[in-house]
């Protein structure tokens, strides 16, 4: 677990290109020899980290939506929060890296599809009857894509702040209309 957490931290802090097994082992406070007992290569370690991140994201969605019925606004806020912080930033780093790494792209594509389905299923369960209308699942996938795009703007514009909060509220209002 320490190696996976260190991999996530390394991805966020140093980026994919500078995420090395040596750097990860140092962050995890294990020797390179101990690291190779679990993961022989960087590809194996990053692959395991991708799975770890996917599991964290799915578990977070379950924990947030398991509390019971929510409004569309609350569900959208949960989806927005899922696109904040270290887990999203590490996942983003992997998305970008997968553009030129076919093995990473294949693993990431499969896991992202599973995570998106899990998050959508959790949201639909928490939303109740409104989620049963025809076309809702497709609209929810559109909403998730919109939220991810807005999260990318947050990162490229240097953080959160009032302007981003205002933009999120405007976007949420439009997405509520779409999902209602």
């Amino acid at each position: 677990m320490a190696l996976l957490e260190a991999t996530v931290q390394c991805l966020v802090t140093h980026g994919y290109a500078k995420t090395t097994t040596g750097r990860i082992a140092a962050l995890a406070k294990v020797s390179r020899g101990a690291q190779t007992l679990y993961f022989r290569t960087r590809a194996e370690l990053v692959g395991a980290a991708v799975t770890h991140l996917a599991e964290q994201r799915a578990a977070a969605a379950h924990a947030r939506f398991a509390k019971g019925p929510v409004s569309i606004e609350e569900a959208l806020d949960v989806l927005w929060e899922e696109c904040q912080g270290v887990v999203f930033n590490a996942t983003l780093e992997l998305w970008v890296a997968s553009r030129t790494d076919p093995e990473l792209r294949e693993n990431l594509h499969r896991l992202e599809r599973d995570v998106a389905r899990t998050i959508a299923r959790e949201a639909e369960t928490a939303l109740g009857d409104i989620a049963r209308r025809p076309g809702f699942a497709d609209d929810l996938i559109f909403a998730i894509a919109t939220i991810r795009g807005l999260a990318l703007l947050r990162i490229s514009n240097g953080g959160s702040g009032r302007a981003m909060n205002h933009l999120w509220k405007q976007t949420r209002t439009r997405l509520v209309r779409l999902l209602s």
Side-chain angles (χ1 to χ4, degrees):
M1 186 64 89
L3 285 167
L4 298 178
E5 291 297 328
T7 303
V8 170
Q9 181 183 350
C10 198
L11 286 165
V12 172
T13 304
H14 303 288
Y16 181 76
K18 294 181 182 175
T19 294
T20 64
T21 54
R23 184 170 268 158
I24 293 166
L27 283 171
K29 295 182 172 65
V30 300
S31 69
R32 287 273 294 123
Q35 176 256 305
T36 58
L37 287 174
Y38 298 100
F39 305 100
R40 292 175 305 157
T41 65
R42 175 182 173 215
E44 286 180 12
L45 187 49
V46 170
V50 167
T51 301
H52 179 66
L53 285 168
E55 290 167 353
Q56 283 184 310
R57 291 171 57 214
H62 175 73
R64 288 190 168 146
F65 286 125
K67 295 174 183 167
V70 298
S71 67
I72 292 176
E73 292 87 352
E74 291 168 324
L76 290 169
D77 283 340
V78 167
L79 296 173
W80 172 246
E81 289 168 19
E82 200 266 334
C83 292
Q84 314 298 309
V86 172
V87 172
F88 179 78
N89 291 348
T91 304
L92 174 61
E93 190 66 32
L94 292 168
W95 287 339
V96 172
S98 75
R99 184 182 70 81
T100 57
D101 185 329
E103 183 181 353
L104 178 60
R105 182 173 49 248
E106 184 178 323
N107 285 336
L108 195 57
H109 178 73
R110 179 180 45 79
L111 287 168
E112 278 300 311
R113 187 179 57 241
D114 292 346
V115 168
R117 283 185 190 142
T118 299
I119 290 171
R121 194 170 41 249
E122 294 286 346
E124 289 171 356
T125 299
L127 286 166
D129 288 341
I130 197 161
R132 291 180 187 82
R133 76 162 169 75
F136 182 85
D138 290 336
D139 290 343
L140 184 59
I141 289 168
F142 176 82
I144 291 169
T146 301
I147 290 167
R148 285 180 177 170
L150 188 58
L152 289 175
L153 280 178
R154 175 188 56 84
I155 291 168
S156 66
N157 290 337
S160 52
R162 274 195 303 198
M164 187 52 62
N165 289 335
H166 179 70
L167 188 54
W168 165 239
K169 288 178 183 175
Q170 287 181 320
T171 303
R172 183 181 59 195
T173 298
R174 290 180 180 196
L175 291 174
V176 165
R177 282 196 304 259
L178 171 72
L179 293 170
S180 294

